[in-house]
């Protein structure tokens, strides 16, 4: 039997409601501040929908669907992977400015590594959003983390044709399994990268067909549930999805306005458990599981964003306005 910790679980739905209210107020051009919640005012949190965060929006609009008609399927997956390894818009644009479009045919590890070594001497090249390891016994001969990742991509994805295996995968879980067996890529990154590949037209699986809880989400789940029996963390994310309407009604958030008619999928709900863990560090500090503070403060930005989502979702025709979007580049998703 699943037993919720009601006082904590209600804040999961509180976060979703209040964070989505912020999204819509920004979208409508309402004046700042966009919330009366002091925690959301002071600290950085991702959007309810992963795809609407700044870096994901850049990936979808600029890496996957912009100027890629000449690209092969392998090229597009390579572009996604290279972008996501660094997960930093400035790093991607620096590479594009210096080497042109990234494709299988022009993927020169020595050239890219040299450019990144020059870059890192002046500015960070990796985002702090994910903790990126650079340790693996097969790559210890290479001195820098970025060179190790680039060599791994060349060996595993290009030479051993893992991109082909991903293209012909039969499920989102299958892609996750392929990725999780690669050097440097553990379960967390494998799931994130699988979702990123799935934003393209090359991979087309239902986001509700598979989920993998990350470290931060697991902390949030532990705070929101008490007795879970033999249920896995993934079962509890699915339980939440199956009972969204029930708990929205129960906790007073029945007026939740979704993303242009698209309900949150499992990746979004997984992410919201991570964000709820962060929220509860302030709201219910007695639920001490792991980290005890939120590391990033909110800073208002005036940068505009033109929202664009994978065309297969059929929601782009419902978007009418630009939105003032905070700079999400340095968000940590699994504190």
């Amino acid at each position: 039997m699943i037993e919720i910790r009601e006082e904590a679980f209600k804040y999961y739905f509180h976060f979703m409601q209040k964070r989505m209210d912020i999204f819509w107020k920004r979208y409508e051009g309402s004046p700042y501040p966009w919330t009366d919640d002091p925690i959301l005012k002071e600290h950085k949190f991702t959007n309810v929908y992963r795809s609407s965060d700044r870096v994901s929006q850049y990936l979808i609009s600029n890496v996957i669907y912009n100027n890629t008609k000449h690209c092969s399927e392998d090229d597009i997956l390579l572009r996604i992977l290279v972008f996501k390894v660094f997960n930093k818009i400035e790093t991607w644009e620096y590479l594009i400015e210096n080497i042109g479009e990234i494709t299988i045919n022009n993927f020169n590890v020595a050239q890219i590594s040299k450019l990144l070594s020059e870059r890192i001497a002046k500015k960070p090249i990796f985002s702090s959003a994910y903790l990126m390891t650079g340790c693996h016994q097969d790559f210890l001969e290479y001195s820098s983390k970025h060179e190790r990742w680039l060599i791994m991509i060349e060996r595993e994805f290009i030479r051993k044709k893992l991109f082909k295996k991903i293209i012909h995968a039969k499920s989102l879980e299958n892609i996750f399994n392929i990725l999780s067996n690669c050097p440097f890529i553990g379960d967390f990154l494998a799931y994130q990268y699988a979702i990123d590949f799935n934003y393209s037209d090359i991979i087309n699986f239902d986001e509700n067909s598979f989920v993998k809880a990350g470290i931060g989400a697991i902390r949030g789940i532990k705070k929101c549930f008490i007795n879970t029996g033999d249920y896995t963390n993934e079962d509890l994310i699915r339980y939440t999805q199956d009972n969204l309407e029930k708990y929205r009604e129960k906790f007073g958030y029945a007026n939740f306005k979704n993303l242009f008619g698209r309900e949150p999928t499992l990746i979004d709900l997984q992410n919201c458990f991570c964000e709820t863990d962060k929220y509860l560090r302030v709201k219910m500090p007695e639920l001490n599981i792991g980290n005890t503070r939120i590391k990033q403060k909110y800073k208002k930005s005036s940068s505009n964003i033109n929202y664009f989502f994978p065309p297969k979702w059929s929601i782009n025709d419902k978007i009418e306005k630009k939105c003032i979007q905070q700079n999400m580049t340095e968000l940590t998703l699994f504190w």
Side-chain angles (χ1 to χ4, degrees), residues 114-212:
K114 182 176 182 293
L115 284 169
L116 292 175
S117 293
E118 294 170 354
R119 176 77 170 181
I120 202 172
K122 301 175 182 177
K123 295 182 179 181
I125 60 172
F126 289 94
S127 168
S128 61
Y130 306 143
L131 294 178
M132 304 294 288
T133 180
C135 298
H136 191 281
Q137 61 182 8
D138 293 344
F139 297 86
L140 295 180
E141 64 187 282
Y142 304 103
S143 58
S144 66
K145 180 166 68 173
H146 61 265
E147 185 178 19
R148 292 172 183 175
W149 271 93
L150 294 169
I151 291 288
M152 186 277 286
I153 291 172
E154 183 181 52
R155 285 184 187 177
E156 302 294 327
F157 288 88
I158 298 177
R159 293 182 187 174
K160 295 183 181 179
K161 302 187 183 301
L162 280 192
F163 286 133
K164 296 295 185 187
K165 290 184 179 180
I166 290 169
I167 290 167
H168 294 104
K170 301 300 182 183
S171 67
L172 197 60
E173 183 175 10
N174 188 191
I175 295 174
F176 165 82
N177 289 331
I178 292 170
L179 291 169
S180 63
N181 286 319
C182 289
F184 309 138
I185 303 178
D187 286 357
F188 177 81
L189 288 180
Y191 180 49
Q192 298 296 317
Y193 293 172
I195 293 296
D196 291 315
F197 286 150
N198 202 52
Y199 287 151
S200 73
D201 285 336
I202 299 162
I203 311 298
N204 190 23
F205 297 112
D206 187 345
E207 283 189 355
N208 290 321
S209 63
F210 177 72
V211 66
K212 188 68 177 179

